[in-house]
Amino acid sequence: MKRQLPLLLAVAAGFVGPAAMADETSDSIEALKQQIQALDQKVRILERQRELEAETAAAKPKDTPRLAIGNGGLVGSSADTNFVFKLNGVLQVDNRTFLGESHIKGNDGFLLRRARPIFSGTVYRDFDFMFVPDFGGSSVQIVDAYLNYRYQPWLQLRAGKFKVPVGLEHLQSDPVTFFNERSIVTSLVPNRDMGFQLWGDVAAGRLSYAAGVFNGVGDGRSSSNSDFEDHREFAGRLFATPFKNSDNRLLSGLGFGVGGSWGNVSSNVTGLASGYATDGQQQYFTYTNGAVANGTHWRVSPQAYWYYGPFGLLAEYAVSHQEVSRGPLSASLEHRAWQIAAGWVLTGEDATFTGINPMKPFDPRAGQWGALQLVARYAELDIDDDTFPTFANPAASATGAQSWAIGLNWFLNKNIRVNTSYSRTAFDGGGSGTSGTGAVTSQPEEVIFSRVQLAF
């Protein structure tokens, strides 16, 4: 029996072992299945989390306000762009050097011509605004302050203080004019005034119109933010660029139109020009004390520009008709002026009414020097002969002025510009006196301008 026991145990093991091993294998497989199912569940959860994160990341820009800084200034907007705020600015530091005018003290020197932060933007999608104070010159003033409702590009309503739509060069933005100072033609058109204006661009911008009612200001004047008498002045302008956006490069930069104003003033000196000034901003004509605007005042100004590649040409004519009186005497005066100005971008960039964008911004380390523009201008202004001697002193004030200028503009980049120019203004009449207009008109004015400008 003892000799058979191992054999019996071996036989028993042969039957019992495989069964036990089969049970263990089944349990292991089941455990592995559960682990795999758990891992699969975790993977699914992770994949869904990643999908949700991606969806959130994609949706985030649509819900997040935007802020951008560039050569166009600081721009912030709501996620839906219905609310926009912009911060821009203009800084102009000038030098004027008058040649051979030692008899006029204080006209040479450096000056802060303009120092303007520009706040603009949009609220509730259709309402635009602009607020521009100026810290340049001798006093702080509000230059522009208006609200604009934009129903469509062709139908907009503006209210507040802004440029009156008459003169062409006057409507050009300050940082992009050919010269430091606008021509003597601008002396005959209104500057900024308080009022309401309906305006817009039709036919894809090929025709612009503006028609408004304003307080009314004298030639070259700006409103003091309130009216000086009870009458209103109407002003309007039509300007066409019929080949705008066409493939015809020869004509695509052609624009022409006419601006004008009509109003009435009742015996008020503020309705007259404070005086007409040279390119060097010295007065060569003033009305005699006691002369007042008294009656109809209208202006008309045909105008045109043409830009073709690096070439730019601007021309305008202006007439200012005004009824004046001094005591019992009265007269209807018509002062006339015209100018033609041209520029050529020596470095080949396209010239436009809104400025020049250098192809190679200033960077000496990369051998880039910006853009250079050569400019020239001729202008005349003629004072009505009936102005003298009742309403102006012919011994001191000029009866006319002729001005020509040449200059070189260096655009370091889209924001920084350096100008230098020479201007000469000759006078008809006047010339008697040691101060005021008599001193200015005693000889032709010759002045060298320079400017360093930041505009963004």
Side-chain angles (χ1 to χ4, degrees), residues 5 18 30 42 62 105-106 124 132 219 243 273 378 389 435 448:
L5 183 60
E30 187 62 29
K42 289 181 179 179
K62 298 178 182 178
K105 302 300 182 184
Y124 290 97
V132 184
D219 291 344
F243 305 100
Y378 182 81
S435 62
I448 297 174

Side-chain angles (χ1 to χ4, degrees), residues 17 188 226 369 400 436:
L188 296 188
S226 61
W369 302 97

Side-chain angles (χ1 to χ4, degrees), residues 226-239:
S226 61
D227 203 357
F228 61 88
E229 54 113 58
D230 294 333
H231 296 94
R232 298 289 185 264
E233 183 176 82
F234 300 92
R237 178 174 180 260
L238 280 175
F239 197 82

Side-chain angles (χ1 to χ4, degrees), residues 35-159:
Q35 289 180 0
I36 290 172
Q37 289 176 350
L39 289 173
D40 181 67
Q41 184 66 23
K42 289 181 179 179
V43 169
R44 291 175 184 274
I45 292 173
L46 290 173
E47 288 179 345
R48 182 54 184 161
Q49 286 179 342
R50 291 187 62 183
E51 289 177 358
L52 293 174
E53 289 173 358
E55 291 174 359
T56 302
K60 192 173 183 180
K62 298 178 182 178
D63 299 330
T64 304
R66 302 167 187 172
L67 183 65
I69 301 176
N71 59 23
L74 174 65
V75 182
S77 71
S78 60
D80 58 6
T81 69
N82 284 340
F83 293 82
V84 179
F85 175 79
K86 298 179 182 178
L87 175 60
N88 302 94
V90 175
L91 176 65
Q92 295 174 338
V93 181
D94 287 13
N95 177 63
R96 297 172 186 164
T97 301
F98 290 82
L99 307 179
E101 289 196 358
S102 58
H103 60 297
I104 302 176
K105 302 300 182 184
N107 55 359
D108 284 323
F110 302 110
L111 67 149
L112 195 58
R113 186 67 175 88
R114 293 180 178 87
R116 299 176 179 175
I118 302 172
F119 306 96
S120 63
T122 300
V123 295
Y124 290 97
R125 188 187 62 191
D126 300 326
F127 294 89
D128 304 320
F129 67 88
M130 177 170 282
F131 176 69
V132 184
D134 190 357
F135 297 90
S138 57
S139 62
V140 179
Q141 57 180 321
I142 296 175
V143 179
D144 291 299
Y146 63 79
L147 179 64
N148 185 79
Y149 173 62
R150 178 172 27 83
Y151 176 69
Q152 292 289 342
W154 57 270
L155 184 60
Q156 304 188 52
L157 178 64
R158 181 175 295 179

Side-chain angles (χ1 to χ4, degrees), residues 7 16 121 169 239 288 303 342 372 418:
L7 178 61
V16 175
E169 189 183 28
F239 197 82
T288 301
Q303 52 200 252
L372 290 174
V418 178

